Amino acid sequence: VITIRDRAADDRQGLVGYVFLHSFTSSQKSCLRKSRMMGSVRSGAVSLKGNPVDLAGKELRSGDQAPDFSLQNTGLEEVTLASSAGRTRIIATIPSLDTSVCHAETRKFNEQAASLPHVEVLVISMDLPFGQKRWCGAEGIENVKTLSAHRCTKFGEDYGVLIKGGP
């Protein structure tokens, strides 16, 4: 059973930053319309630069089972939740590796992941896999795995972190 961790405890250890994805593109809207969770929108669930931001999807709580997903890694291979079965996973979602806060958060996870045996750190964004690969190479990121949710908004909705609309 995979459960969601208590973010407050992780935050006290400096492991948690922002947890949301950026708004979707027009090519992703067809996938979004098919989603079963679009009806669930949490108004003002988070803030961006001091402004309230709505998130689509149910908020996951400590003890909830983590939803399955299918995302792409930097080698364009499909990665699912089951791909790392048997390991402890830290899943961090960010809007983009090219934002200053997400950049710093991912670097911090990379540093701390080096000292966490048997823990897999997944950083998920809407960035294209090519951009993630470029960024990781330029920054020397080797201890976290970046995954792309660029094909569909289902991951963001299932995890309750998809920004609905834009700032």
Side-chain angles (χ1 to χ4, degrees):
V1 173
I2 300 152
T3 58
I4 304 302
R5 296 258 329 230
D6 178 356
R7 289 193 59 229
D10 290 338
D11 194 37
R12 286 190 295 274
Q13 296 175 26
L15 292 175
V16 177
Y18 290 104
V19 182
F20 54 85
L21 300 173
H22 73 71
S23 58
F24 45 87
T25 65
S26 59
S27 65
Q28 295 168 324
K29 287 182 183 177
S30 63
C31 178
L32 185 60
R33 281 190 285 276
K34 296 174 186 173
S35 173
R36 59 186 163 75
M37 299 200 100
M38 191 53 195
S40 176
V41 175
R42 298 183 338 272
S43 296
V46 295
S47 64
L48 177 63
K49 296 186 177 185
N51 298 311
V53 176
D54 299 344
L55 297 181
K58 177 186 164 207
E59 180 179 8
L60 295 179
R61 302 219 179 255
S62 183
D64 287 349
Q65 185 168 341
D68 198 12
F69 57 77
S70 180
L71 304 167
Q72 275 189 317
N73 66 15
T74 59
L76 303 179
E77 301 163 319
E78 294 299 314
V79 176
T80 66
L81 188 61
S83 299
S84 58
R87 290 185 228 138
T88 300
R89 289 160 242 162
I90 296 173
I91 300 173
T93 61
I94 59 174
S96 173
L97 292 164
D98 288 320
T99 64
S100 60
V101 172
C102 300
H103 174 106
E105 177 182 353
T106 303
R107 289 191 58 72
K108 179 82 168 176
F109 272 115
N110 187 64
E111 291 168 15
Q112 294 188 0
S115 63
L116 298 171
H118 310 294
V119 173
E120 184 166 66
V121 179
L122 306 173
V123 176
I124 301 167
S125 74
M126 296 292 274
D127 295 314
L128 293 173
F130 309 108
Q132 291 177 335
K133 185 175 184 175
R134 174 201 48 79
W135 186 87
C136 288
E139 296 297 322
I141 303 298
E142 298 176 348
N143 301 315
V144 302
K145 292 183 181 178
T146 56
L147 299 177
S148 176
H150 76 281
R151 287 198 214 157
C152 185
T153 59
K154 185 174 177 354
F155 172 85
E157 292 174 70
D158 287 352
Y159 278 75
V161 297
L162 178 70
I163 292 178
K164 184 179 180 318

